[in-house]
Amino acid sequence: MKKTLPIGIQVYGLRDLLENTPENFKNVMQKVKELGYDGVELAGLYGHTPEYIKETLDEVGLVPISAHVAFAEMMENIDGIIADYKKIGVKYLVMPYMSEEYRPANPEGFKKFLPLLNEIGQKIHDAGMTFLYHNHDFEFVKMDNGNWGYDEMFDAIPHDNLMSELDTCWCQVATSDAEGFVKKYKDRIPVVHLKDYIKQGEVKNMYKLIGIDSEEDEGETGYFGFRPVGFGMMIWEPVLNAAVESNAQWVIVEQDEHYELEPLECARRSREYLRILGW
């Protein structure tokens, strides 16, 4: 039998069902379980205590795989964040986004950022958890030495203090080689994000889709939009095979925005497509 991995879903994609409605949390988690997901990646606690989140996920039967936490919050209160998510049983704490001042396109800021990243990773490792970095496309710029900024970040920080949660969509957009990057990070990529998309023409501003405020660009002629897994441009079999070969522990479905379809319907389609592939 072909080897597969357990499948989780990033709760950020279901935020419209949870924000300002804490009473919905258990019901939404039950529906996630019914769709066939094995675990969840949290993106906040939605007004609940860590104890309630743990109790609910245990009751429903979902594994609390990981949690996205803004880097500024980690810098401000890493001890409290570790304590909260350890109560839930989360194994991986994830930095989900790099602010512009720290990106590889700004070499001085990037150089200052790396020791901070290592410091947070060390504290998380010392607490018995694992620190992951979740990319977009702006990490995949070439540095003066010809290396990708993404690789420079991982080369600069010890393995134990930083591992990869590769967002395959953004990696593919930037490099056309998501499969290759999953393979490159063998044994350092415990979680792989599965995100599908459609991109046509030149798109000047893709980040409005993930809640980054910016003015509309005049003369925008391209299109970029997220889709359920299997309903976009990604070819998934090679990526999934690479995840297995690279000793990943989980794959996680993520869809930042939904259009004509409801979030849970998109989640259903992603899960059903993966079933078609034998997952």
Side-chain angles (χ1 to χ4, degrees):
M1 181 179 292
K2 182 178 72 173
K3 179 172 170 55
T4 62
L5 301 171
I7 300 171
I9 190 167
Q10 166 53 263
V11 178
Y12 177 76
L14 307 175
R15 64 193 178 281
D16 292 347
L17 306 175
L18 298 169
E19 289 179 349
N20 303 314
T21 52
E23 65 275 11
N24 286 352
F25 185 79
K26 183 175 181 180
N27 182 52
V28 172
M29 293 302 104
Q30 286 174 327
K31 290 179 178 177
V32 166
K33 180 65 176 179
E34 289 166 6
L35 291 176
Y37 288 94
D38 303 297
V40 291
E41 180 170 68
L42 299 168
L45 302 184
Y46 299 101
H48 293 295
T49 64
E51 290 81 1
Y52 176 85
I53 298 291
K54 174 176 172 47
E55 178 184 339
T56 301
L57 295 179
D58 284 350
E59 183 177 340
V60 170
L62 288 169
V63 176
I65 309 159
S66 45
H68 278 197
V69 182
F71 190 65
E73 293 179 33
M74 291 186 182
M75 290 295 294
E76 183 177 335
N77 184 30
I78 187 59
D79 293 337
I81 288 166
I82 288 171
D84 283 348
Y85 284 104
K86 286 195 85 168
K87 290 176 186 174
I88 296 170
V90 162
K91 184 174 183 179
Y92 306 105
L93 287 176
V94 189
M95 178 180 171
Y97 185 77
M98 183 189 293
S99 62
E100 194 166 357
E101 64 184 304
Y102 293 141
R103 294 177 191 172
N106 175 16
E108 287 302 312
F110 187 56
K111 184 177 179 180
K112 293 177 182 178
F113 167 66
L114 295 177
L116 302 177
L117 197 64
N118 185 53
E119 179 184 337
I120 292 295
Q122 181 71 59
K123 289 183 178 180
I124 291 172
H125 176 69
D126 289 347
M129 303 169 80
T130 302
F131 188 31
L132 307 183
Y133 181 82
H134 169 272
N135 59 282
H136 291 78
D137 65 336
F138 43 70
E139 298 87 352
F140 296 98
V141 298
K142 292 289 188 177
M143 309 298 286
D144 289 343
N145 60 7
N147 295 334
W148 292 109
Y150 187 83
D151 293 333
E152 289 281 291
M153 180 169 59
F154 284 91
D155 287 346
I157 296 173
H159 181 285
D160 286 344
N161 291 355
L162 186 68
M163 296 193 190
S164 171
E165 179 182 76
L166 190 76
D167 185 301
T168 51
C169 160
W170 289 115
C171 181
Q172 187 71 16
V173 167
T175 72
S176 301
D177 192 22
E179 176 193 356
F181 272 89
V182 174
K183 290 180 176 178
K184 181 188 291 189
Y185 281 83
K186 182 176 182 177
D187 295 323
R188 200 175 180 178
I189 186 166
V191 181
V192 177
H193 261 210
L194 310 182
K195 182 190 294 179
D196 219 331
Y197 70 98
I198 292 175
K199 183 175 182 288
Q200 299 171 338
E202 291 299 316
V203 182
K204 297 179 181 178
N205 175 26
M206 292 184 285
Y207 295 107
K208 60 189 175 187
L209 293 179
I210 58 172
I212 306 301
D213 294 331
S214 58
E215 296 181 2
E216 293 291 330
D217 290 301
E218 292 184 7
E220 181 71 85
T221 58
Y223 172 81
F224 181 82
F226 301 119
R227 292 292 185 274
V229 172
F231 290 76
M233 299 173 65
M234 294 286 290
I235 306 299
W236 284 110
E237 291 95 326
V239 173
L240 293 168
N241 291 338
V244 171
E245 293 167 9
S246 296
N247 298 320
Q249 300 300 303
W250 285 87
V251 294
I252 293 180
V253 168
E254 181 181 43
Q255 187 174 343
D256 302 78
E257 291 289 347
H258 312 83
Y259 310 102
E260 295 83 6
L261 301 173
E262 294 297 319
L264 282 170
E265 174 59 17
C266 289
R268 184 192 71 81
R269 293 188 181 202
S270 291
R271 188 66 191 89
E272 287 301 314
Y273 177 78
L274 291 168
R275 279 198 182 95
I276 291 170
L277 298 185
W279 286 59

